[in-house]
Amino acid sequence: MTKLQDILYRVHLKQVHGSTDITVSGIQIDSRKLEAGNVFIAIKGALSDGHLFIEKAIAAGATVIVCETMPQSVQNGITYLEVADSQEAVAYMAHQFYDEPSAKVKLVGVTGTNGKTTIATVLFKLFSRFGYKCGLISTVQNQVGDEIIPSTHTTPDAVSLNALLKLMADAGCSHVFMECSSHAIHQHRITGLQFAGALFSNITHDHLDYHKTFDEYIRVKKSFFDHLPASAFAISNADDKRGDVMLQNTQASKYLYSLKTVSAFKGKILENALTGLIMTVNGKEVHFRLIGEFNAYNLLAVYGAAVCLGEDSDEVLTALSMLSGAEGRFDYVISSGLIIGIVDYAHTPDALENVLMTIKKLRKGHEQVITVVGCGGDRDKTKRPVMAQTACDLSDRVILTSDNPRTEEPEAILKDMETGLSSSAKRKYISITDRKEAIRMAVSYAGPEDIILVAGKGHEKYQDIKGVKYPFDDKQVLLEMFAALNK
């Protein structure tokens, strides 16, 4: 139990009705999860408004209501707090309620359009190899030491996030590596947390359904660095044209990494093959298991963060040479007939182009590249034709198919993807709505040494159709089709 007044530090209160000198048993933003003595924070979301559930929250036992608009009638014995921003308020209150867990670990956040999961995961693996007990908060999974906790969002809501950080701190974690999505930054899910460091990978066309403009998307990403303390480090990609912009106003110590320009953490690719990368990093030659130029950048970001966290640079490079990447990120299998299958989470035009350009650099020249790709429903529609054109430009054959259609009709999404395809692109593709059938068709097209890319879902183990998540695993389906081919 915690005193309400003790968790209001930094909360911008506009009006208080009732006493703050009371104890509270928990914080909730979902009225269905409320217990007696809880604080209910009403948030105006994209799909529902928590203010509509205030009466229900009180009936369920809430003794404190935090809201942006005070109800017309208030109940005796209930404390009402009117705030300027409920999302900001819940972040500050949750951090205090869970006893400032981020201050008890070295918390490192990773933001950017592509690479977040790989960077956070490889940092987790690296520091675990060094003997630290670590926490991981990522799109693929959350992890406390060896214990895996399934992930539902790239970054959890502020209450769940602070509860998870407390769990990690109480379990003895010294370091926590966390993906910070643009949604999480904008919705104040990470507000109030104390970061030891932050990394920026890159920024490209994504989430414009949410942020509306690219400038706003950039501003949100940059705000993460703007709020870092002077005690933190900030590492950015010098080869991204917004890399310098991210660090303009930060108080943190600034570092850059790059393959193309002078930087604190400088790399050069010597060889890029299916066996891995051979690079020089700050003048030292290293063989890495990860593949592709995009992973060269990810490795430099990890290397920089590890050095900034006080690890020996040579030991970091030695350990990194032994590590694999994240599940569903350029995850490849080879059939007994020597067909190469690659599963990747690429779900933006830039990510798809990066993966296909990597494949282009790895191929010997005679192989076909067959790409299976779709676009998610209820998401940025402007990238759909761009994704299709990118796939056609950089592949020999393309099969357009369903991704997670969500509430949209898959056929409508495919029509959006087909819109505006060039005449040469139209000769390369077919559309197959059923994703499993699309993968089967790709395998039937392929011969020895041909490369099949199944893009868009990566690590996901489901397909979201009309609000139901049906079991579906791209890699497993690919392996099944390879096995059927062998028979």
Side-chain angles (χ1 to χ4, degrees):
M1 302 289 275
T2 304
K3 278 288 182 82
L4 175 61
Q5 60 195 18
D6 293 338
I7 63 171
L8 295 177
Y9 173 63
R10 297 176 73 184
V11 176
H12 298 107
L13 297 171
K14 291 173 69 178
Q15 188 182 160
V16 177
H17 183 278
S19 174
T20 60
D21 187 21
I22 58 172
T23 56
V24 293
S25 57
I27 298 174
Q28 287 293 349
I29 57 173
D30 185 339
S31 60
R32 295 167 297 184
K33 296 179 181 178
L34 280 163
E35 295 178 1
N38 278 187
V39 177
F40 174 65
I41 302 182
I43 291 176
K44 292 177 181 176
L47 300 177
S48 63
D49 184 352
H51 290 75
L52 300 175
F53 300 95
I54 288 175
E55 294 302 318
K56 181 183 175 185
I58 293 169
T63 52
V64 180
I65 301 297
V66 179
C67 51
E68 292 178 11
T69 306
M70 195 70 82
Q72 287 185 334
S73 62
V74 296
Q75 293 189 30
N76 290 331
I78 304 296
T79 299
Y80 296 83
L81 306 176
E82 185 181 343
V83 297
D85 188 325
S86 292
Q87 289 177 325
E88 181 186 65
V90 68
Y92 286 133
M93 292 175 74
H95 195 234
Q96 294 299 319
F97 181 82
Y98 288 105
D99 199 22
E100 301 182 352
S102 65
K104 297 172 182 176
V105 297
K106 289 183 178 177
L107 178 63
V108 176
V110 186
T111 197
T113 306
N114 303 311
K116 296 188 295 294
T117 302
T118 296
I119 292 169
T121 302
V122 175
L123 275 167
F124 174 83
K125 290 181 177 182
L126 176 66
F127 277 78
S128 297
R129 181 176 279 267
F130 284 154
Y132 298 103
K133 187 167 186 179
C134 299
L136 173 67
I137 303 172
S138 82
T139 308
V140 176
Q141 64 192 30
N142 300 324
Q143 201 163 340
V144 185
D146 295 328
E147 183 188 356
I148 295 171
I149 302 168
S151 174
T152 55
H153 292 78
T154 302
T155 315
D157 67 78
V159 177
S160 303
L161 177 55
N162 278 280
L164 185 58
L165 287 169
K166 178 174 170 52
L167 179 68
M168 291 173 173
D170 289 349
C173 292
S174 57
H175 297 73
V176 176
F177 304 103
M178 179 172 75
E179 290 186 55
C180 297
S181 67
S182 58
H183 289 67
I185 298 167
H186 185 254
Q187 293 170 8
H188 291 288
R189 292 184 224 161
I190 62 170
T191 293
L193 300 184
Q194 186 173 314
F195 285 91
L199 297 102
F200 169 73
S201 58
N202 50 63
I203 193 162
T204 59
H205 185 120
D206 198 17
H207 299 309
L208 298 194
D209 54 321
Y210 180 84
H211 296 293
K212 306 307 179 191
T213 69
F214 193 46
D215 284 346
E216 173 63 7
Y217 182 39
I218 293 166
R219 186 198 68 75
V220 169
K221 293 282 191 191
K222 182 179 176 295
S223 69
F224 176 37
F225 295 89
D226 292 349
H227 292 99
L228 290 174
S231 58
F233 62 83
I235 301 175
S236 185
N237 181 356
D239 294 341
D240 186 284
K241 59 185 178 183
R242 276 108 186 163
D244 284 328
V245 171
M246 291 293 149
L247 306 186
Q248 275 179 352
N249 303 110
T250 188
Q251 298 179 65
S253 300
K254 304 176 188 180
Y255 301 91
L256 295 171
Y257 64 93
S258 75
L259 291 173
K260 299 173 184 173
T261 57
V262 176
S263 62
F265 308 114
K266 177 74 168 69
K268 182 180 180 183
I269 297 174
L270 304 178
E271 187 178 325
N272 182 13
L274 275 171
T275 52
L277 282 160
I278 299 176
M279 293 173 60
T280 57
V281 178
N282 282 8
K284 295 199 169 137
E285 188 172 316
V286 193
H287 183 284
F288 298 107
R289 293 183 182 179
L290 277 70
I291 299 164
E293 184 180 84
F294 59 96
N295 272 324
Y297 282 105
N298 294 336
L299 286 161
L300 288 172
V302 170
Y303 170 71
V307 171
C308 286
L309 285 165
E311 300 304 312
D312 178 80
S313 59
D314 289 347
E315 290 181 12
V316 169
L317 292 176
T318 300
L320 277 178
S321 70
M322 302 174 192
L323 298 179
S324 57
E327 182 187 2
R329 271 58 177 180
F330 213 87
D331 202 345
Y332 73 95
V333 292
I334 302 176
S335 76
S336 59
L338 301 181
I339 301 169
I340 298 165
I342 297 170
V343 173
D344 195 274
Y345 189 54
H347 60 285
T348 66
D350 185 72
L352 184 62
E353 182 179 359
N354 281 341
V355 173
L356 285 167
M357 287 301 293
T358 295
I359 292 170
K360 185 177 180 181
K361 290 172 186 175
L362 296 174
R363 67 193 292 200
K364 296 166 188 171
H366 62 278
E367 314 94 328
Q368 279 192 105
V369 175
I370 304 161
T371 298
V372 179
V373 66
C375 288
D378 304 330
R379 297 293 186 270
D380 185 2
K381 292 185 179 184
T382 62
K383 70 182 181 185
R384 291 175 183 175
V386 184
M387 291 279 285
Q389 186 67 49
T390 299
C392 290
D393 286 345
L394 296 171
S395 312
D396 299 293
R397 288 178 183 253
V398 173
I399 303 172
L400 303 180
T401 190
S402 293
D403 189 283
N404 289 318
R406 300 184 177 89
T407 65
E408 288 192 68
E409 293 301 326
E411 293 79 8
I413 297 172
L414 291 175
K415 282 182 181 175
D416 284 345
M417 293 185 77
E418 294 164 0
T419 303
L421 281 177
S422 65
S423 55
S424 60
K426 287 178 180 176
R427 291 194 290 270
K428 287 186 177 182
Y429 89 93
I430 60 170
S431 289
I432 299 176
T433 305
D434 185 277
R435 191 172 180 91
K436 188 170 185 176
E437 177 60 20
I439 295 172
R440 189 197 68 75
M441 185 61 72
V443 172
S444 73
Y445 284 153
E449 298 189 350
D450 285 349
I451 300 168
I452 299 170
L453 170 65
V454 182
K457 287 174 57 57
H459 64 282
E460 291 179 351
K461 302 293 189 288
Y462 62 85
Q463 203 172 11
D464 189 337
I465 303 170
K466 303 292 183 185
V468 179
K469 290 187 175 180
Y470 296 92
F472 198 96
D473 183 332
D474 279 352
K475 188 174 180 179
Q476 193 58 43
V477 171
L478 193 56
L479 288 169
E480 285 173 17
M481 298 305 168
F482 280 169
L485 194 65
N486 296 339
K487 290 177 184 175

